[in-house]
Amino acid sequence: MTTAVLVIDVQNGFNEPEWGARNNPDAETNIAALARAWQDARDPLVLVRHDSLKADSPLRPGQPGNDLQPLLGEIRPTLLFGKDVNSAFLGDGATLTADQLATATAANLHGGGFARVTTTKQVLADRA
């Protein structure tokens, strides 16, 4: 079974003070490690960028804040797309057909649980 990684909104603009203090200072480091592992394995890697429509947003296309953070600089995703809504799963974001959703749900339920919460370190060890 092939597993994809979906990286959402890892952009320079989210480092702006207006977003407040971070509750997970290692998030970007962990995201970069996962993205590199998926890229090295040639497994599907999807990057989603928030392309704000607000004129004063640091996430507006053409602004430095819209750029992906440098830690993703060497990542070449299978798919890169922009969204202009807060969720990557609404509007013009990633969507699933009913058949795809049923397949994904069935795959997640196999083994008795919908999801497994784990650490980046464990995910990388499981892939090794």
Side-chain angles (χ1 to χ4, degrees), residues 62-80:
Q63 303 301 310
N66 183 259
D67 295 340
L68 296 172
Q69 290 187 18
L71 54 89
L72 294 175
E74 295 182 13
I75 298 300
R76 301 295 173 254
T78 308
L79 176 64
L80 169 65

Side-chain angles (χ1 to χ4, degrees), residues 11 30 39 66 86:
Q11 296 165 254
N30 290 332
Q39 179 171 277
N66 183 259
N86 288 339

Side-chain angles (χ1 to χ4, degrees), residues 17-112:
E18 69 188 70
W19 295 103
R22 296 295 306 273
N23 66 351
N24 183 354
D26 296 327
E28 286 87 353
T29 301
N30 290 332
I31 290 166
L34 291 168
R36 279 191 305 275
W38 256 253
Q39 179 171 277
D40 291 348
R42 296 191 170 130
D43 283 338
L45 172 63
V46 179
L47 297 181
V48 181
R49 183 186 62 230
H50 186 83
D51 292 336
S52 180
L53 300 176
K54 296 180 180 176
D56 61 344
S57 173
L59 300 171
R60 188 169 46 90
Q63 303 301 310
N66 183 259
D67 295 340
L68 296 172
Q69 290 187 18
L71 54 89
L72 294 175
E74 295 182 13
I75 298 300
R76 301 295 173 254
T78 308
L79 176 64
L80 169 65
F81 69 94
K83 62 180 178 62
D84 59 16
V85 294
N86 288 339
S87 173
F89 305 100
L90 293 175
D92 292 334
T95 58
L96 298 174
T97 66
D99 288 340
Q100 290 169 324
L101 181 58
T103 300
T105 301
N108 282 324
L109 291 174
H110 180 70

